[in-house]
Amino acid sequence: MARITTAAQRRRKEIATAYMLLAPALLVMLVFTVYPVLRSVFLSMTKYRMGMEAPEWIWFSNFQRLAGNSTFWKVMRNTVAFALMTVIPSMVLGLGLAMLVNREGRHIGFIRTAYFYPSVMPMIAIASIWMFIYMAGNGLFDQMLIKLGGQSMNVLSDKDKVLPAMAVMYVWREAGYLMVFFLSGLQSINGDVLEAASIDGATGWKTFRHITLPLLAPTTLFVSTVAFTNCFKLADHVIIMTEGAPNNASTLLLYYIYQQGFTNMNYGVSSALTVIMLAMLLVVSLPRFFSEDRKIHYA
Amino acid sequence: MKKLLTLALALVLCLTALLAVAEEPLNLTMYFPVNVGGSAAQLIDSMTNEFNTQNPDINVQAVYTGNYDDTVTAIQTAIQGGNPPDLFVSLATQRFTMADTKMAMPLDELIAADPEGQAFVDDFIDGFMLDSYVEGAIYSIPFQRSTMVMFYNKDAFAEVGLDPEAPPTNWTELVDYAKKLTNENRYGVAIALNSGSAQWAFTGFSLQNCTNGVGLMSADGKEVYFNTPENVEALQLWLDLQNEHKVMAPGIVQWTDMPTQFLAGEVAMIYHTTGNLTNIKNNADFDFGVAFLPAGKQWGAPTGGGNFYITNGISEERQQAAWKYIKFMCSTENAAQWSIDTGYVATRNSCYETEVLKEYYASFPQALVAYDQLQYAQPELTTYNAAEMWRILNDNIQAAVIGEMTAEEALQTAQEQGDDLLFDYQ
């Protein structure tokens, strides 16, 4: 009897210790994540602008107004289009780079660093550099076109080309970052498996298709979540390069939120948009949340 | 004895502390933006230092907060955080928003309480003082004010057989000259069409074309008139310059790229701020002229630039100190020197009586054009919710520029969106 009590006591003590160790992180999460989320949800259902004494409860009117606003739908289309244009290409490129640098060699460290380098630079710096590349007429890109006998394109003021142009820049930056995850995934694949495959006569492509890729599945899922959430969280390059021009053809959701909240000082609407963004982030995080440790084969 | 000494020492310490408290100057914070290149930020710092030296009881700290938009964001954040600046520089056209959001306070009581107050305010040039009022109350004091002028390349004019001393005086000549000036390597004319710039230039074209004085908005900032035939005509002119006459670069040219292109000889005439005068003067390797904006049915130009505001809700003592600082920064001598150093237009009538400014204009007559044009100048587009209104006009102008809409459709859409935005204020 006494022994059981002691075990229960010990268990209680262990739980208490666990909570104590978790407390700092939990506290930070509560203050910087949970509270802002709840506050945004609350404000999204109010009319609240700078200068108002207190938020005014209006239920779902903000969402209703957004649903009838053509600019909002344009922004949503842009955001989804930008995600589709960047996520797959940057993952494919990231994996490709990882395969390239997944070997021993004298200068391999340097090459890896070079590929990773763009992701260390702040987006603002990258956008400033690429703005010169895309500058109308005088930019590197237009000059190249002219030298090759073409016409200058002025991509940043073309409604159909501005998003792809930004996507190219973003893929260039993001690929190196995703490469790091793929590289660690590749290096955790057991060499024996690959050796066995080669003894059985598997060629490069076959090995990649039937061994490497399946074994990389958990990494790929993780990377796709990271890639999706990252590309929804972009605003800085829009501010630097176009401010959403022409006619909001390059406005992405986070920039739209910033504009509503900080330029127009309309906290109700910007919170409603934030809630929509949270929902989108939640949706892209779900696959990883549910498939963890189940269908995915861990090496 | 020892006890007595300790007591005396303690007393002395206490007194020193008290004195120190009494001598501690009143610390004020000012946020200011810089929207032109050059050393404007350093100039503000050195002027502020001079003020602090002259007024040991006040210590103003000038904080550079980026461009105009960034500064509004910074003020807003600071107010939300309960730690607002005491005064700040913001666009004159933000006044409706500043009053409506209660970020700034009306200055009438401060002006009335100051024996020199009325004379101080009356000395400002009318064209600038016009956009200080909200509902009859003064909310701001003109500081770094500008207007739009045309810079043109005299060498290019001579090259194509145009008189370098006769810039275009109306829209017909503008199109005509631009055609002559355009060749393989050069466009005739440039107007910035990026968000935040297009509405400024467009105010000018609207003023030039609206003989009935309607322009783009009502003086109380509660109505817009985007879709009038005169404004449609003005926007159509822009589209024609690009698409029909092909004398202006297609698409959206950035405000910040234009001086570079002008200096590189890639465009012969640009619509830009007087704030860029010093930059162009220092960097042009050709002969350049400054001219009035070509008239439509009449002369017209937009004013622009920043004013001083005092933050709402600060203590009376702080208000007084802030007011003193504003009066110092806008004193006749300082306003005149500021104009010379930056290219902004001197804001007060008395500035033009000073020796420094007279000498400056004698040595550099191009600088005088902006002042002469002021008689035709009016405030740029502003309403309540100004930032959102600018966006509406800019977006729709861009839609017309990239061919998504006709000029008429674009301004009709802008009108509807603008009416909707101002619904609560009508």
Side-chain angles (χ1 to χ4, degrees):
Chain A
M1 196 67 198
R3 252 185 70 197
I4 293 165
T5 320
T6 320
Q9 268 173 351
R10 198 186 304 142
R11 179 151 175 71
R12 266 208 296 278
K13 209 172 168 187
E14 259 173 30
I15 290 173
T17 317
Y19 272 108
M20 251 169 61
L21 291 172
L22 277 175
L26 219 59
L27 200 72
V28 169
M29 275 250 319
L30 277 175
V31 174
F32 291 104
T33 308
V34 178
Y35 172 72
V37 166
L38 294 178
R39 177 89 181 153
S40 295
V41 172
F42 166 71
L43 285 179
S44 73
M45 289 189 233
T46 63
K47 180 180 175 169
Y48 190 36
R49 303 184 72 111
M50 182 83 190
M52 284 173 67
E53 294 288 318
E56 201 178 294
W57 190 260
I58 51 165
W59 290 103
F60 294 99
S61 296
N62 285 329
F63 294 96
Q64 273 165 3
R65 284 194 70 152
L66 283 173
N69 182 335
S70 61
T71 308
F72 166 72
W73 288 111
K74 197 179 216 175
V75 170
M76 293 307 282
R77 271 200 305 277
N78 289 344
T79 308
V80 172
F82 190 75
L84 295 178
M85 278 187 270
T86 56
V87 169
I88 305 267
S90 60
M91 282 176 66
V92 171
L93 207 61
L95 179 56
L97 292 177
M99 305 279 288
L100 270 179
V101 299
N102 185 25
R103 57 189 167 84
E104 297 301 316
R106 268 183 67 193
H107 302 297
I108 203 70
F110 173 76
I111 295 172
R112 282 177 193 167
T113 313
Y115 288 153
F116 184 66
Y117 187 61
S119 14
V120 186
M121 277 198 274
M123 200 62 189
I124 297 211
I126 291 179
S128 304
I129 295 167
W130 280 75
M131 203 168 77
F132 283 105
I133 295 180
Y134 286 143
M135 198 175 164
N138 294 323
L140 189 66
F141 184 67
D142 274 4
Q143 282 295 317
M144 249 166 59
L145 287 176
I146 292 166
K147 285 275 164 2
L148 293 172
Q151 288 251 312
S152 90
M153 271 214 252
N154 193 7
V155 285
L156 290 186
S157 70
D158 185 312
K159 71 180 155 80
D160 300 317
K161 300 195 187 95
V162 62
L163 270 190
M166 285 177 165
V168 168
M169 172 191 80
Y170 183 66
V171 167
W172 171 78
R173 170 203 154 100
E174 191 74 351
Y177 180 62
L178 300 184
M179 172 195 81
V180 174
F181 297 111
F182 280 121
L183 189 60
S184 80
L186 284 175
Q187 291 187 338
S188 68
I189 292 176
N190 193 335
D192 296 349
V193 186
L194 296 172
E195 206 180 320
S198 89
I199 288 169
D200 287 346
T203 55
W205 170 249
K206 269 199 175 145
T207 316
F208 176 75
R209 172 74 188 74
H210 296 288
I211 312 271
T212 314
L213 216 52
L215 287 178
L216 269 183
T219 312
T220 310
L221 187 68
F222 171 74
V223 169
S224 68
T225 309
V226 170
F228 264 113
T229 49
N230 271 358
C231 85
F232 285 148
K233 292 187 291 189
L234 283 178
D236 3 12
H237 73 289
V238 182
I239 296 176
I240 300 285
M241 296 173 86
T242 62
E243 294 185 304
N247 192 17
N248 289 314
S250 62
T251 304
L252 298 178
L253 185 53
L254 189 60
Y255 174 66
Y256 196 52
I257 293 173
Y258 174 83
Q259 207 189 311
Q260 293 295 337
F262 290 97
T263 312
N264 302 346
M265 307 186 218
N266 192 336
Y267 308 126
V269 169
S270 69
S271 297
L273 289 164
T274 307
V275 168
I276 292 169
M277 181 161 209
L278 274 172
M280 288 170 69
L281 289 173
L282 206 65
V283 167
V284 298
S285 312
L286 281 181
R288 189 174 126 73
F289 187 76
F290 281 116
S291 64
E292 197 103 313
D293 296 329
R294 258 190 267 158
K295 282 180 198 153
I296 301 278
H297 181 94
Y298 278 91
Chain B
M1 186 61 201
K2 206 176 170 190
K3 234 178 193 172
L4 205 70
L5 206 73
T6 323
L7 203 73
L9 208 71
L11 208 71
V12 167
L13 271 174
C14 279
L15 273 173
T16 326
L18 265 173
L19 274 173
V21 167
E23 272 176 14
E24 177 79 13
L26 185 62
N27 285 306
L28 295 189
T29 312
M30 179 195 68
Y31 285 3
F32 71 96
V34 172
N35 224 43
V36 292
S39 49
Q42 287 158 22
L43 286 170
I44 287 190
D45 275 342
S46 71
M47 282 160 84
T48 304
N49 283 340
E50 201 186 320
F51 173 82
N52 291 338
T53 318
Q54 285 180 21
N55 300 276
D57 53 329
I58 304 171
N59 181 34
V60 178
Q61 199 198 351
V63 183
Y64 167 61
T65 40
N67 64 23
Y68 281 113
D69 284 351
D70 300 339
T71 301
V72 172
T73 304
I75 299 162
Q76 184 194 177
T77 316
I79 289 178
Q80 293 272 332
N83 188 25
D86 299 282
L87 72 164
F88 55 88
V89 175
S90 187
L91 285 172
T93 44
Q94 283 281 16
R95 66 187 180 281
F96 292 113
T97 308
M98 288 300 164
D100 190 39
T101 56
K102 303 184 186 76
M103 286 163 84
M105 60 175 273
L107 306 175
D108 301 77
E109 281 176 26
L110 284 169
I111 295 167
D114 184 341
E116 304 159 10
Q118 196 55 45
F120 173 70
V121 170
D122 287 344
D123 189 34
F124 284 94
I125 291 169
D126 290 343
F128 290 143
M129 205 58 208
L130 257 181
D131 46 10
S132 288
Y133 291 89
V134 177
E135 311 253 329
I138 295 178
Y139 268 84
S140 64
I141 297 295
F143 175 54
Q144 43 187 30
R145 297 308 301 268
S146 56
T147 183
M148 190 176 258
V149 289
M150 172 180 272
F151 295 93
Y152 68 99
N153 185 330
K154 286 187 179 177
D155 292 4
F157 268 55
E159 179 196 313
V160 299
L162 289 166
D163 179 2
E165 299 311 320
T169 54
N170 57 48
W171 289 3
T172 322
E173 285 179 8
L174 173 71
V175 174
D176 214 32
Y177 291 13
K179 278 183 190 167
K180 286 186 181 144
L181 289 160
T182 303
N183 63 27
E184 246 183 22
N185 304 314
R186 184 174 64 209
Y187 278 108
V189 61
I191 301 165
L193 299 178
N194 60 298
S195 225
S197 299
Q199 96 273 346
W200 201 42
F202 195 67
T203 304
F205 281 80
S206 170
L207 290 171
Q208 289 151 19
N209 209 32
C210 295
T211 42
N212 54 3
V214 171
L216 290 175
M217 76 287 181
S218 63
D220 63 4
K222 294 179 181 177
E223 276 177 76
V224 287
Y225 315 114
F226 293 153
N227 61 349
T228 62
E230 288 82 6
N231 289 332
V232 172
E233 212 172 79
L235 182 54
Q236 189 59 47
L237 176 73
W238 286 13
L239 303 182
D240 287 349
L241 287 171
Q242 287 188 318
N243 306 325
E244 201 189 315
H245 309 305
K246 301 195 190 306
V247 295
M248 186 159 97
I252 292 151
V253 175
Q254 301 288 325
W255 173 259
T256 41
D257 292 345
M258 268 167 52
T260 320
Q261 292 170 359
F262 179 72
L263 291 169
E266 289 161 8
V267 56
M269 302 183 278
I270 61 169
Y271 282 73
H272 221 272
T273 170
T274 50
N276 235 308
L277 191 58
T278 313
N279 172 30
I280 288 179
K281 179 187 169 193
N282 292 341
N283 295 306
D285 54 10
F286 49 82
D287 213 6
F288 76 95
V290 178
F292 279 21
L293 300 185
K297 294 169 186 148
Q298 61 196 10
W299 295 108
T303 61
N307 285 9
F308 276 115
Y309 292 83
I310 298 184
T311 309
N312 202 19
I314 61 171
S315 72
E316 202 167 316
E317 190 190 11
R318 287 175 170 278
Q319 290 172 16
Q320 289 295 347
W323 176 246
K324 199 170 181 181
Y325 175 76
I326 291 173
K327 273 176 58 191
F328 172 84
M329 294 296 276
C330 300
S331 72
T332 302
E333 297 72 31
N334 278 337
Q337 192 59 44
W338 174 248
S339 162
I340 295 168
D341 292 340
T342 57
Y344 282 116
V345 186
T347 48
R348 298 177 59 173
N349 288 312
S350 58
C351 293
Y352 297 87
E353 308 295 321
T354 59
E355 286 307 312
V356 275
L357 210 59
K358 279 181 183 166
E359 275 169 31
Y360 174 64
Y361 285 141
S363 69
F364 186 40
Q366 282 105 319
L368 201 54
V369 174
Y371 173 68
D372 289 339
Q373 190 185 235
L374 276 184
Q375 53 184 313
Y376 307 111
Q378 282 188 49
E380 66 170 310
L381 170 65
T382 186
T383 60
Y384 285 90
N385 292 333
E388 234 169 319
M389 189 60 81
W390 292 328
R391 186 78 198 189
I392 286 174
L393 185 60
N394 280 315
D395 282 351
N396 287 293
I397 288 178
Q398 286 180 358
V401 166
I402 60 171
E404 276 185 343
M405 293 187 208
T406 65
E408 197 174 352
E409 285 164 0
L411 291 176
Q412 183 58 37
T413 314
Q415 182 69 40
E416 282 159 18
Q417 293 171 349
D419 286 344
D420 186 46
L421 179 64
L422 292 175
F423 183 77
D424 288 344
Y425 298 93
Q426 284 161 357

